Amino acid sequence: MEDIDAIAMLQDPVRRRLYEYVAAQGREVGRNEAAEAAGVARTLAAHHLDRLTEAGLLESGSRRLTGRSGPGAGRPAKVYTRAQAERSVSLPARDYRTAAELLAEAAEQAGLDAGLCTAARRRGEALRGTAAPCGGLEEAMEMLAARGYEPHVEGVEGAENVDGVEREAGAPAPVVRMRNCPFHAVAERFPPLVCGMNLALLEGLLGAGGPVRARMDARPGECCVVVESSKNNVD
């Protein structure tokens, strides 16, 4: 299916709600859960989820949602996750990805990592403008979400306010991880170069000397950079 046809499928409001919910979870989602989240019947949700899978926007599989195995565990249920493939449309057609990959290849071969990071940090500072350094994790999440990183908090389960939350002794400090890397396609081919650029960009965007900091902590399926309180004693 052409990218423009796949994206056009999201024009349907129910289908779009289902897609956005599944994409935001960062895990497998069953039909019942998706239907409840979208406020529709399970049969309607199943129809739209399968259409989204056919379009390549979601991926489907099956597993037992009870967590049990063996006799009496029940039949495997169909589950959905966001597809890894990217979809984009430009009119007229443009090929910025090829240009980015060529530039990254040339920069890597010429050993321009430091210069690229310097430029990325300056760009982050320019995006922040005259604003003070980011004031906390909540503000950082708003900034990251606006740039497509899809941030989520790890370490503060169920907390609405991650700044200043009282934690038990030994409990992990909250860390903001990101389900999406805006530079994913190029980062896959040139990880050290592009991940370093990404880190420098976010350092400039968040600002130095504030209560939050960005650091590298690569994990499969997520952005290579995380954001945390600068008071966290993590190297």
Side-chain angles (χ1 to χ4, degrees):
M1 178 176 288
E2 296 289 337
D3 283 4
I4 191 168
D5 296 324
I7 293 172
M9 293 192 68
L10 297 176
Q11 185 175 5
D12 182 280
V14 173
R15 201 172 291 158
R16 183 165 183 171
R17 289 202 304 273
L18 287 165
Y19 173 79
E20 289 177 342
Y21 179 77
V22 173
Q25 303 315 302
R27 56 174 173 79
E28 294 176 329
V29 175
R31 286 172 167 174
N32 288 341
E33 179 186 348
E36 183 177 354
V40 298
R42 182 183 185 279
T43 52
L44 181 60
H47 167 73
H48 285 305
L49 289 167
D50 286 339
R51 290 291 307 279
L52 289 167
T53 302
E54 292 169 5
L57 295 171
L58 296 179
E59 295 176 355
S60 65
S62 62
R63 67 176 177 87
R64 288 187 174 91
L65 298 179
T66 61
R68 303 195 306 271
S69 60
R75 297 175 57 186
K78 201 164 188 179
V79 292
Y80 303 84
T81 57
R82 180 171 57 183
Q84 293 299 310
E86 294 183 4
R87 300 283 186 173
S88 62
V89 175
S90 64
L91 299 172
R94 299 286 188 261
D95 191 3
Y96 300 115
R97 175 174 173 175
T98 297
E101 289 179 348
L102 288 171
L103 290 168
E105 182 177 357
E108 187 174 74
Q109 292 178 352
L112 300 178
D113 305 53
L116 178 62
C117 287
T118 298
R121 192 171 289 104
R122 283 201 302 263
R123 174 58 64 91
E125 292 169 351
L127 291 171
R128 180 165 49 86
T130 58
C134 182
L137 291 180
E138 281 195 289
E139 183 181 341
M141 291 180 70
E142 292 177 3
M143 296 169 68
L144 295 167
R147 303 205 63 79
Y149 283 92
E150 297 184 9
H152 66 101
V153 180
E154 179 181 84
V156 183
E157 186 175 354
E160 294 294 331
N161 182 353
V162 297
D163 293 315
V165 172
E166 292 291 336
R167 300 193 309 275
E168 296 180 2
V175 173
V176 175
R177 292 188 176 273
M178 294 165 271
R179 294 193 176 99
N180 182 51
C181 172
F183 316 111
H184 174 73
V186 187
E188 278 194 317
R189 289 196 58 191
F190 309 96
L193 180 78
V194 178
C195 290
M197 176 199 75
N198 189 19
L199 174 62
L201 177 71
L202 293 183
E203 287 175 339
L205 183 65
L206 298 174
V212 299
R213 69 168 184 172
R215 65 176 174 87
M216 199 77 75
D217 188 11
R219 193 163 75 175
E222 294 189 332
C223 179
C224 58
V225 179
V226 299
V227 176
E228 65 183 4
S229 168
S230 57
K231 297 178 182 179
N232 291 5
N233 186 21
V234 180
D235 295 329

